[in-house]
Amino acid sequence: MTKPGVSIQVNNNEFVWNQENGLLTFDGAPSLLFWDSAIELFLKTIEEVSGKDVSRTVYETTGYRMGSLVTSYYSGRRGIEHLSAGYNNIYRNAGWGNFEVIHLSLEDQTAVVRLTNSWEHRIFKGNKGVLLPSHWAGIFSGIFERDMWYKVKSSAVLDGKQLRLSESLTDIQVRIKSNIIW
């Protein structure tokens, strides 16, 4: 006989598989589980059908909205002082890679987020992505309660011959949108 549900706690995050209903939840919200290759196919199909420029806009808009959604979902659960550790656990545990807030100024409302081994690097083979940087702009827009946007400060695959997952690195600077004159 199969168990109707399986639950696992990873750090502060809970995954629950309800086999009877065919539902996976992550921290209480219905979730999906995909292989990188399936997401890669999905994103490349959007690019193939829409073209590079339109796809970039779609990815940025989607990333920003997803970041805003994440902030609204975790609002009140995690304080700004727990941002780096708390969000890193969420994203790492969900397979999105490692994220670290390496700079945060509440006064200037700026941040720099370091991504390593992100799914975007894995899928786009080290090329600069826009979905995750815009995602973090959406997160900080929710945190600071004002429009924020991003600039990729640096992006590198440290081994130039081939992408090694542990060696992909991107630093994203997030600032108030009206102050962007980069």
Side-chain angles (χ1 to χ4, degrees):
M1 186 162 133
T2 307
K3 287 184 181 180
V6 176
S7 176
I8 186 170
Q9 190 79 26
V10 181
N11 304 109
N12 292 328
N13 305 114
E14 182 182 38
F15 296 86
V16 177
W17 289 270
N18 183 323
Q19 296 172 356
E20 187 175 307
N21 294 323
L23 180 65
L24 168 66
T25 61
F26 179 67
D27 285 349
S31 304
L32 301 171
L33 184 63
F34 287 101
W35 288 290
D36 281 6
S37 58
I39 296 298
E40 179 179 10
L41 179 66
F42 178 73
L43 295 174
K44 287 188 176 186
T45 300
I46 290 171
E47 191 171 305
E48 181 183 313
V49 170
S50 303
K52 284 190 180 281
D53 292 338
V54 171
S55 297
R56 179 184 174 93
T57 301
V58 169
Y59 297 158
E60 282 185 326
T61 303
T62 301
Y64 184 88
R65 290 178 180 175
M66 288 169 54
S68 296
L69 179 69
V70 168
T71 302
S72 68
Y73 182 75
Y74 286 101
S75 178
R77 296 190 202 192
R78 309 197 189 272
I80 190 117
E81 64 278 355
H82 295 101
L83 177 73
S84 186
Y87 275 59
N88 186 43
N89 283 340
I90 292 165
Y91 288 102
R92 183 190 60 235
N93 296 341
W96 282 45
N98 288 311
F99 300 83
E100 178 186 5
V101 178
I102 59 173
H103 166 78
L104 177 64
S105 171
L106 300 177
E107 183 179 321
D108 296 334
Q109 296 186 326
T110 60
V112 176
V113 179
R114 176 163 290 158
L115 289 64
T116 52
N117 188 26
S118 75
W119 66 263
E120 199 167 34
H121 263 286
R122 293 191 312 262
I123 287 172
F124 291 115
K125 311 298 186 247
N127 295 322
K128 286 185 183 179
V130 296
L131 202 146
L132 290 178
S134 60
H135 182 81
W136 281 96
I139 285 174
F140 284 104
S141 292
I143 289 169
F144 293 133
E145 297 180 344
R146 62 185 311 161
D147 288 335
M148 307 292 284
W149 202 234
Y150 75 91
K151 177 182 180 183
V152 175
K153 286 183 63 173
S154 62
S155 184
V157 179
L158 301 179
D159 177 14
K161 296 177 187 144
Q162 70 182 63
L163 177 65
R164 291 189 179 161
L165 299 181
S166 63
E167 295 181 337
S168 64
L169 173 74
T170 303
D171 285 350
I172 302 163
Q173 183 177 23
V174 181
R175 302 178 71 174
I176 300 167
K177 191 172 184 177
S178 63
N179 291 349
I180 297 177
I181 309 175
W182 295 328

